[in-house]
Amino acid sequence: MAGSESKSYAAPQVSTYKQERVAIVGNFQNRFSDSSKDQRFVNCFPELQKDTITEAKKIYTVKRAGLDVYSTVVGGGAAGRGCFYWEGALYSVFGTTVYRNTSAILTLSTSTGTCGFIEADGTALGSPVPKVLFLSDGTKAYWIQSDGTDTEITDVDLPTPHIAQPVFLDGYVFLLDSGTPSLYNCTVNKPDDWVSTNFIDAESFQDDGVGIARVANLIVVFGRFTTEFMFNNGNATGSPLSRSDMGVLQVGCANKDTICQNERFCIFVSQSDSGGRAVWRIDGYQPKKISHEAIDKLLDAEGANISNAVAMDLRLQGHYFYILNLTNRTLVYDIEEDFWSEWSTNNSGSHSKFKYAYMCDPLVGMPVIQHDTDGKLYKFNHATYDDAGTSIITQITTTKLDFGTYNRKFLHEIELVGDSTTTASAVTVKWSDDDYNTWTSGRDVDMVYTSRPRLTRLGAFRRRAFDLKHTASQPLRLEAMEFRFNAGMH
């Protein structure tokens, strides 16, 4: 048609630029029992902060506090076996020797294995001793006065060997006879006097005793595959205890040294007739499994080595932790946040099992823990971010990120969202695009306030895992990683 015009139209421009913020927090995701793949958090823990007015929430990942030497008790080489603060003095066992502060007071006949301490009533001992420290090593037992004077308990009716895990209730010290279900008690207020008929058997099922704990006014008796509860019934003869009618748990304890108790509950590594291990918490009569599948895999992988596991619990940085030392790694459960992570000791730049297994509170405001072998006790310090001069390796390995699509992503920039520091504090970032098999060389992001904590020109990927490592003697509190990228069409 005359006068007609043809027109062409440009295709609309579609922006593929995206910005995504990913919180630096999450559970273990290990598919195997080793630590070479999947999400992992070492020497850090999450902290949820909630505004009570607006109910807004923020989650941070925080570096654990470091350690200072509290006291040097003995030269290295002797195994740390337990510690206890009592009446103004810190008692510890290294090898065969019991120390009061740094002075040796007692030589034991055993050199390995956990030693148990408990404060007991000693008003019936025949001298003006209102309370004593009761110590057992699995073979013998002792009572210690506040000045450090020790007396061996030579009563032939003291159960020997026994589980070195004394528990005190209502004037009685209780010990579990090793390899049996029999729970013995001393004469009331007299921990050196034991009678052969003063015991009760945990016999709802045919099961040998593994360990004991106290929860509120109950004595918990752990067997291999069952758990029973006892209460003080005031019986005139034999044991003062009677079995509770509240029932029996058909889950037992894999190792007595994994049992930790406090004023409200106890935690332990469990096992049962159905197979497999887990971590359980008992509040009163109420059991609750607190480990998840990834943790259970690690416990099962220990095999017979679970007999060497040792746990302690402590309050630190406003959190309450259950710390479980396995053969080659240390699992840490944050009770308030219901979160599992790991702690480690720096061994020439690599992670090794946390080298501490026993804790006490000497009223210095922070927990004191005993080293496995170096003869020293260490104190946590909120203002310290190394372990007595050795850097802490804080490491975060993320899950594989794909931002909801397998399409290729072209990553322009990563920025770490977290607290700034006043001096240099590098976070080394590397990544893997092939399911954790190979990693790039690390690139440093400085958290110092004078620089912007970011990396640019980061290539293309479909699924990428990141590894963040921090070794500076500086605090670290991270909130998120912010990604800026273009999304490909295929």
Side-chain angles (χ1 to χ4, degrees):
M1 180 182 293
S4 66
E5 298 181 3
S6 62
K7 297 181 179 180
S8 62
Y9 296 91
Q13 298 297 309
V14 177
S15 174
T16 64
Y17 177 80
K18 294 180 180 293
Q19 180 168 303
E20 298 277 355
R21 180 173 284 199
V22 177
I24 304 177
V25 70
N27 282 315
F28 275 70
Q29 294 181 356
N30 51 287
R31 68 195 86 173
F32 310 121
S33 61
D34 63 67
S35 59
S36 62
K37 294 180 181 287
D38 302 308
Q39 188 158 264
R40 185 184 187 198
F41 296 82
V42 187
N43 289 320
C44 55
F45 54 87
E47 188 165 84
L48 173 64
Q49 294 191 357
K50 179 179 178 181
D51 190 305
T52 57
I53 304 299
T54 66
E55 296 189 351
K57 298 179 182 179
K58 281 192 174 183
I59 301 177
Y60 297 94
T61 296
V62 182
K63 185 174 186 175
R64 73 161 171 87
L67 296 165
D68 295 332
V69 174
Y70 179 78
S71 65
T72 299
V73 179
V74 65
R81 304 176 61 191
C83 57
F84 196 88
Y85 183 79
W86 182 69
E87 291 293 289
L90 201 159
Y91 292 82
S92 59
V93 183
F94 286 94
T96 60
T97 308
V98 180
Y99 295 87
R100 182 177 185 269
N101 296 323
T102 58
S103 299
I105 63 169
L106 175 61
T107 299
L108 304 176
S109 60
T110 58
S111 59
T112 59
T114 297
C115 291
F117 294 89
I118 196 71
E119 184 181 71
D121 193 319
T123 54
L125 283 169
S127 59
V129 185
K131 53 187 175 180
V132 298
L133 182 63
F134 187 94
L135 164 65
S136 67
D137 70 352
T139 300
K140 297 182 179 181
Y142 306 82
W143 59 275
I144 302 171
Q145 300 182 62
S146 59
D147 63 359
T149 302
D150 63 270
T151 303
E152 181 181 346
I153 298 172
T154 57
D155 195 311
V156 295
D157 292 322
L158 177 79
T160 301
H162 56 259
I163 304 298
Q165 203 170 45
V167 168
F168 179 81
L169 175 67
D170 298 338
Y172 299 96
V173 174
F174 294 90
L175 286 173
L176 187 61
D177 191 23
S178 184
T180 77
S182 300
L183 181 62
Y184 283 82
N185 61 273
C186 71
T187 300
V188 66
N189 300 334
K190 196 172 183 183
D192 69 339
D193 186 30
W194 297 74
V195 178
S196 62
T197 56
N198 286 358
F199 72 94
I200 183 173
D201 285 339
E203 58 183 4
S204 293
F205 287 80
Q206 186 62 38
D207 199 4
D208 289 336
V210 171
I212 55 175
R214 175 176 172 175
V215 178
N217 286 325
L218 297 171
I219 301 293
V220 186
V221 183
F222 297 93
R224 293 174 303 159
F225 304 116
T226 59
T227 301
E228 294 190 38
F229 301 91
M230 309 283 187
F231 71 100
N232 185 358
N233 196 39
N235 302 323
T237 60
S239 174
L241 301 179
S242 293
R243 283 183 292 276
S244 171
D245 293 332
M246 297 299 291
V248 178
L249 305 181
Q250 288 188 258
V251 61
C253 180
N255 174 359
K256 68 176 178 63
D257 290 329
T258 68
I259 301 169
C260 288
Q261 65 180 58
N262 70 2
E263 62 276 7
R264 294 190 297 115
F265 53 79
C266 71
I267 300 176
F268 63 103
V269 175
S270 73
Q271 62 186 16
S272 68
D273 279 329
S274 59
R277 300 182 179 123
V279 182
W280 285 70
R281 167 178 168 172
I282 295 178
D283 286 293
Y285 292 100
Q286 300 301 315
K288 178 184 178 182
K289 182 175 179 287
I290 59 174
S291 60
H292 51 72
E293 293 85 350
I295 298 299
D296 297 347
K297 290 177 189 176
L298 301 180
L299 298 176
D300 289 344
E302 286 291 290
N305 287 329
I306 197 69
S307 63
N308 299 319
V310 182
M312 61 179 169
D313 57 334
L314 55 85
R315 187 168 292 281
L316 179 69
Q317 293 170 267
H319 296 249
Y320 195 87
F321 297 106
Y322 173 75
I323 302 165
L324 177 63
N325 277 309
L326 301 177
T327 302
N328 295 312
R329 63 200 299 180
T330 300
L331 306 179
V332 179
Y333 179 62
D334 184 334
I335 293 170
E336 271 88 2
E337 305 294 359
D338 189 23
F339 183 88
W340 286 91
S341 62
E342 293 180 77
W343 287 3
S344 77
T345 293
N346 184 343
N347 182 13
S348 300
S350 299
H351 296 292
S352 65
K353 180 179 72 173
F354 195 55
K355 300 297 184 181
Y356 313 84
Y358 302 98
M359 169 269 176
C360 61
D361 182 7
L363 308 180
V364 293
M366 296 289 278
V368 167
I369 56 178
Q370 183 183 35
H371 194 276
D372 289 348
T373 57
D374 74 359
K376 296 179 182 179
L377 295 154
Y378 292 80
K379 179 184 73 171
F380 281 102
N381 186 340
H382 284 303
T384 297
Y385 293 96
D386 55 55
D387 289 340
T390 300
S391 61
I392 298 170
I393 306 172
T394 297
Q395 187 167 4
I396 300 164
T397 304
T398 73
T399 187
K400 298 189 293 290
L401 301 173
D402 59 17
F403 302 102
T405 176
Y406 205 76
N407 289 354
R408 191 178 297 276
K409 274 73 64 177
F410 301 89
L411 186 56
H412 309 303
E413 186 175 84
I414 297 173
E415 188 156 3
L416 297 186
V417 182
D419 295 347
S420 299
T421 57
T422 56
T423 57
S425 181
V427 176
T428 301
V429 181
K430 61 182 182 179
W431 53 89
S432 171
D433 293 342
D434 60 358
D435 195 23
Y436 306 91
N437 287 298
T438 60
W439 294 86
T440 63
S441 299
R443 294 172 60 181
D444 286 348
V445 177
D446 201 336
M447 300 303 293
V448 70
Y449 73 98
T450 55
S451 66
R452 189 171 175 181
R454 61 176 180 163
L455 296 174
T456 59
R457 304 178 65 181
L458 300 162
F461 68 96
R462 296 188 186 278
R463 305 185 79 194
R464 177 173 287 182
F466 291 86
D467 182 273
L468 284 63
K469 183 181 289 187
H470 183 264
T471 59
S473 296
Q474 296 287 329
L476 181 70
R477 191 173 73 152
L478 297 175
E479 184 179 346
M481 298 175 70
E482 194 161 278
F483 297 86
R484 301 178 184 99
F485 59 94
N486 279 85
M489 302 303 293
H490 58 82

